[in-house]
Amino acid sequence: MSVVTRERNRQAWMSSNGVLASRRVALEPKLAPAIPLTANAEAAQFRPEIAALRAVAVLGVSLCHLKISAFDGGFVGVDIFFVISGYLISRNTLLDLRQNRFSFTNFYIRRSRRILPALIFTVVVTFVVGALWLPPDAFRQLAKESTHALLSISNIQYWRESKQYFATASDQLALLHCWSLSLEEQFYLFWPALLFWAFRLGRIATIILVMASVSFTLSILELTRDPQAAFFLTPFRIFEFSIGALIIFIEERIRVSNLIAESIAFGGMLAIGASYLTFNSTMPFPGFAVLLPCVGAAAIIFVGSNARTTCWLANPLAQAIGAISYSLYLCHWPLIFFTRFIFGAEVMTATTDAILIAIMGITATAMHFFVEKPFVHGRSRSLSPRLRTSILGYGGTVLVLVVITHTAFLQDGWAWRLSWEKQQLTELQRFGVVSCEAKSSSSSCAFGKFDAPLSVEIVGDSVAQQYVAALDPLLKQLGFRGETLTVGGCPILIGMALKGSQREACESRKKSILTRLRSSDGNVVLTQAWGGYNDDTTISDFGRLDLSSGEERSLAQLESSLEKTIEVLAVGRRKILLVGDQVRTNCKIDKGRLLPGPFWHAPQAPCPSINRDQITHSGERVNAVLERVAARWADRVTLIKPVDYFCDEECPVVRNGLWLYLDELHFTRAGSQYMGQRAENVFREFLIR
């Protein structure tokens, strides 16, 4: 068939307002006649139950983030938003395609006006407040978040960072909630083109159903391989938007009785309520579980106002919250984040929650009327020069802001905001590796006297890496250079591999480290988070089937791996210093609040010292393994137990106003230096003999 003939057939079909004239047209769903085809598709029909669903969704997310236990599952409000977006965007796009008026330019202009002003406002205000209160490390993180939020790739950032050993905790990310907006904006990039193509083929419902099936299948498979990817990345969430889109075709073809409509509406509400009350952040998600809130939301949209059960959704409060839901979603988390950061998590009482909810409501209402609404006109079908200029203005504004935020990131969070005294305090309470100079290898950095011959290499995971600050002053004094060969969270031991998604990356890095060590004979400081690599977290080539699972089997396998590693490393004149079990603290430390910012924030709550006998007892079985291995290689290996040097009768957590711990496992630079000073004689003897 020629292009002219196809175009004539299409025009004939369009002029008949969707009358089914051929098999191809028969497969095109006829949009519900109740939806008026107005000039602006986005305003085609107000649906009070959808406005109320928005209210339910944003309240669920907000109450979940306030850590109100009854709403642990409120995070599924995001999934409800995805279903709503899938329905509305698909409906409006198909309406425009039916009327031969769809324009990609108009679509993206409407989306930009709807999303960008409030998003830009939120990012700018959050960035400015962060510049006033956050310490450099936290502000550097916020600067990176701001850049990615403006570029609509926050979800990709958080997925990538989730794989890092020292990934920032979610409650220390001021723009964490922007991941869902980025994902939604990525959905907008391709979905109109997909609908346009499906419309031309006359297979809209089929193609959407295939997309949903593929996306859901991939999501289930990815959940077992990389749960963070399944959570954050767009391909594994497309099925949720597709569920919303498929409602259009269901409501066109199926008419239900009043009784069935009431049952469907009640079931939808029950599904959402059950999700809020029974889900929690520790469960695998999205997985099959996400279908419960998604189908629940779809059921309510499907029956609409035809069921009396949904009539309560039209109440003024629900409609008002639904109207400001976008602004409320944007502002709620930064308000919670900065309240916790400035005043401390301990102030988060029921009274504080109530005050915060009131502030959220006031802030969101103001944003809705003074930031959102002025930009969401959408009444004209034409693109006036003024409108085109405003779109260029959006792009220019984003570009300028990205330059500013990325500059703050590259400049390490603008430490110049702090006084000299605060900068010194910041340096001492960072992680112990800050004195390193990065080498070409991502797992290596140099310390000590940089232009001196290589004398010692620190090998292991992040527990090994922290000893840079302990050894750095001594190496400079002796005129030696050291380098690190460390990988956070990975056991650098032969015959021991991590379980889970990080296994391949860890093994690759370990292989590179061992290859380098085989080609040199420099002395080695070897340590790990020994007790963390047990039968639950690792796979051993030295499996002891004769021992039952548990600590005994884990320690036996650790001993075999360590022996094999020492055997490989003990070449030439190399000496090995084994560092025993790390002195741990059970204190919960908010590392973001350890460091000072330009303006005051409440200090970290004090932590008590740890009893030395407790530390000795907790590490005695691991240290016994290390003692046996060291004894077998007595001419090569020296063992040092941190508990013997770091602790007196008590093991300090804070000393002279300085925190010695970054978290329960790792020293700050101050803690590492304290350990280095107390064990200087052992380190010196090891280095110079």
Side-chain angles (χ1 to χ4, degrees):
M1 183 185 294
S2 69
V3 173
V4 173
T5 303
R6 286 200 301 268
E7 180 61 21
R8 285 175 179 170
N9 289 346
R10 186 185 66 81
Q11 291 178 354
W13 175 78
M14 291 300 301
S15 65
S16 66
N17 289 321
V19 175
L20 306 182
S22 68
R23 183 177 183 274
R24 174 183 174 182
V25 174
L27 292 172
E28 280 290 342
K30 178 170 175 270
L31 291 183
I35 302 176
L37 302 179
T38 61
N40 179 21
E42 291 196 26
Q45 183 188 47
F46 177 71
R47 299 280 295 271
E49 79 283 357
I50 292 180
L53 270 180
R54 286 191 173 114
V56 170
V58 75
L59 288 176
V61 174
S62 300
L63 295 175
C64 174
H65 285 164
L66 282 169
K67 298 186 178 178
I68 297 175
S69 58
F71 292 91
D72 284 347
F75 61 85
V76 302
V78 169
D79 305 283
I80 295 173
F81 276 127
F82 290 164
V83 173
I84 294 172
S85 293
Y87 175 77
L88 293 178
I89 294 301
S90 301
R91 184 195 70 169
N92 297 337
T93 300
L94 291 174
L95 282 170
D96 282 350
L97 285 169
R98 299 276 182 175
Q99 292 300 297
N100 196 26
R101 66 189 184 197
F102 177 76
S103 162
F104 286 103
T105 303
N106 281 2
F107 175 86
Y108 291 116
I109 286 174
R110 289 198 299 268
R111 289 295 90 203
S112 297
R113 289 187 304 202
R114 178 73 181 90
I115 293 171
L116 288 180
L119 176 61
I120 290 172
F121 177 80
T122 301
V123 171
V124 169
V125 172
T126 304
F127 184 81
V128 170
V129 175
L132 296 175
W133 265 279
L134 295 180
D137 289 354
F139 186 60
R140 183 177 185 269
Q141 176 67 34
L142 174 58
K144 179 166 60 172
E145 289 184 81
S146 300
T147 300
H148 292 162
L150 290 166
L151 296 176
S152 300
I153 53 174
S154 291
N155 58 326
I156 299 174
Q157 172 200 342
Y158 297 133
W159 165 64
R160 288 170 61 93
E161 290 185 350
S162 70
K163 297 177 177 297
Q164 298 174 3
Y165 182 72
F166 279 113
T168 304
S170 60
D171 59 0
Q172 295 176 347
L173 298 169
L175 292 172
L176 174 67
H177 61 319
C178 288
W179 77 268
S180 63
L181 294 177
S182 294
L183 191 151
E184 192 161 335
E185 288 156 17
Q186 292 159 21
F187 165 76
Y188 295 151
L189 285 178
F190 78 91
W191 194 252
L194 178 73
L195 292 181
F196 184 85
W197 171 66
F199 178 83
R200 294 292 187 184
L201 292 179
R203 298 290 189 274
I204 302 176
T206 301
I207 289 173
I208 293 176
L209 186 59
V210 169
M211 286 287 292
S213 301
V214 171
S215 173
F216 183 67
T217 301
L218 292 175
S219 179
I220 295 298
L221 294 175
E222 194 68 14
L223 193 61
T224 61
R225 294 181 297 196
D226 188 348
Q228 297 300 323
F231 185 88
F232 282 117
L233 299 186
T234 303
F236 310 112
R237 294 286 194 149
I238 290 299
F239 70 91
E240 298 182 51
F241 297 95
S242 300
I243 288 172
L246 290 171
I247 300 170
I248 298 169
F249 307 99
I250 296 173
E251 66 186 5
E252 289 173 354
R253 289 167 168 76
I254 299 176
R255 297 291 182 265
V256 296
S257 66
N258 291 339
L259 179 60
I260 294 177
E262 299 293 346
S263 301
I264 292 174
F266 179 77
M269 293 179 186
L270 187 63
I272 293 174
S275 302
Y276 279 16
L277 297 175
T278 63
F279 285 13
N280 61 71
S281 59
T282 63
M283 63 188 291
F285 198 84
F288 288 100
V290 77
L291 295 178
L292 188 63
C294 287
V295 173
I300 292 174
I301 296 173
F302 169 65
V303 298
S305 57
N306 295 324
R308 291 183 180 180
T309 307
T310 62
C311 288
W312 70 274
L313 294 174
N315 71 80
L317 180 60
Q319 297 301 300
I321 296 174
I324 65 170
S325 60
Y326 179 50
S327 289
L328 182 55
Y329 182 80
L330 283 171
C331 76
H332 85 279
W333 178 243
L335 285 169
I336 295 172
F337 170 84
F338 282 111
T339 299
R340 289 176 179 163
F341 177 81
I342 295 172
F343 301 106
E346 55 270 15
V347 306
M348 300 300 291
T349 63
T351 301
T352 307
D353 290 345
I355 294 172
L356 265 177
I357 290 171
I359 294 173
M360 290 176 196
I362 294 169
T363 305
T365 301
M367 283 179 60
H368 175 71
F369 284 105
F370 298 110
V371 180
E372 261 193 273
K373 215 169 178 183
F375 290 91
V376 185
H377 301 299
R379 302 298 179 189
S380 171
R381 306 248 359 117
S382 62
L383 294 178
S384 66
R386 180 179 178 184
L387 181 58
R388 292 182 185 277
T389 302
S390 70
I391 299 305
L392 293 175
Y394 286 147
T397 300
V398 168
L399 179 61
V400 169
L401 292 174
V402 163
V403 169
I404 294 171
T405 58
H406 192 55
T407 299
F409 170 76
L410 293 176
Q411 295 178 349
D412 290 329
W414 288 344
W416 52 260
R417 296 173 299 126
L418 306 182
S419 66
W420 185 86
E421 292 79 8
K422 287 184 175 180
Q423 289 186 41
Q424 297 306 303
L425 188 61
T426 296
E427 289 300 311
L428 287 171
Q429 295 189 147
R430 281 177 167 165
F431 184 53
V433 76
V434 293
S435 57
C436 260
E437 179 180 271
K439 304 292 287 182
S440 57
S441 170
S442 59
S443 62
S444 177
C445 69
F447 58 99
K449 187 173 173 47
F450 294 142
D451 58 353
L454 179 63
S455 174
V456 63
E457 293 177 286
I458 296 179
V459 178
D461 56 14
S462 59
V463 170
Q465 194 175 19
Q466 69 184 355
Y467 280 93
V468 167
L471 292 172
D472 183 60
L474 184 57
L475 286 179
K476 287 177 177 175
Q477 180 184 340
L478 297 173
F480 295 157
R481 174 168 62 90
E483 291 188 6
T484 63
L485 294 172
T486 58
V487 187
C490 297
I492 309 302
L493 294 170
I494 294 173
M496 180 177 288
L498 280 184
K499 294 179 180 177
S501 60
Q502 296 300 306
R503 178 179 180 179
E504 185 175 342
C506 280
E507 289 300 289
S508 175
R509 298 282 291 277
K510 179 169 69 177
K511 180 179 179 182
S512 174
I513 288 172
L514 292 174
T515 298
R516 171 170 166 169
L517 289 171
R518 286 188 180 100
S519 64
S520 69
D521 61 355
N523 292 338
V524 166
V525 175
L526 177 62
T527 188
Q528 323 262 340
W530 303 108
Y533 303 121
N534 52 47
D535 214 25
D536 295 328
T537 60
T538 61
I539 300 171
S540 176
D541 291 345
F542 306 101
R544 292 292 302 273
L545 300 179
D546 56 315
L547 300 173
S548 61
S549 296
E551 187 178 16
E552 185 179 4
R553 179 174 177 177
S554 298
L555 291 172
Q557 293 171 169
L558 171 64
E559 185 168 347
S560 297
S561 288
L562 182 57
E563 278 189 329
K564 183 63 177 177
T565 304
I566 298 283
E567 180 183 329
V568 170
L569 296 182
V571 296
R573 300 174 57 190
R574 172 177 285 152
K575 302 294 183 181
I576 299 170
L577 178 65
L578 272 182
V579 181
D581 198 49
Q582 170 71 343
V583 178
R584 297 169 180 258
T585 172
N586 293 323
C587 181
K588 183 174 176 57
I589 299 175
D590 185 348
K591 63 182 180 182
R593 290 171 57 216
L594 288 184
L595 307 178
F599 285 4
W600 174 89
H601 65 262
Q604 160 76 40
C607 288
S609 297
I610 319 152
N611 183 272
R612 175 178 178 144
D613 291 340
Q614 291 178 331
I615 296 298
T616 302
H617 177 71
S618 65
E620 64 183 353
R621 298 200 69 181
V622 166
N623 285 332
V625 169
L626 303 185
E627 285 177 340
R628 288 195 296 270
V629 174
R632 295 184 191 114
W633 299 85
D635 60 329
R636 295 273 190 170
V637 178
T638 301
L639 173 65
I640 178 174
K641 302 176 188 176
V643 66
D644 292 338
Y645 297 89
F646 191 81
C647 306
D648 294 317
E649 290 185 6
E650 301 286 327
C651 307
V653 178
V654 181
R655 182 175 177 272
N656 297 333
L658 290 174
W659 284 79
L660 305 183
Y661 284 87
L662 186 71
D663 52 38
E664 68 172 13
L665 179 64
H666 300 93
F667 291 143
T668 60
R669 187 177 186 183
S672 182
Q673 289 179 342
Y674 179 68
M675 174 68 189
Q677 292 164 3
R678 306 255 308 190
E680 179 178 343
N681 290 337
V682 177
F683 288 138
R684 182 184 293 272
E685 181 181 353
F686 168 72
L687 290 169
I688 64 177
R689 67 177 179 174

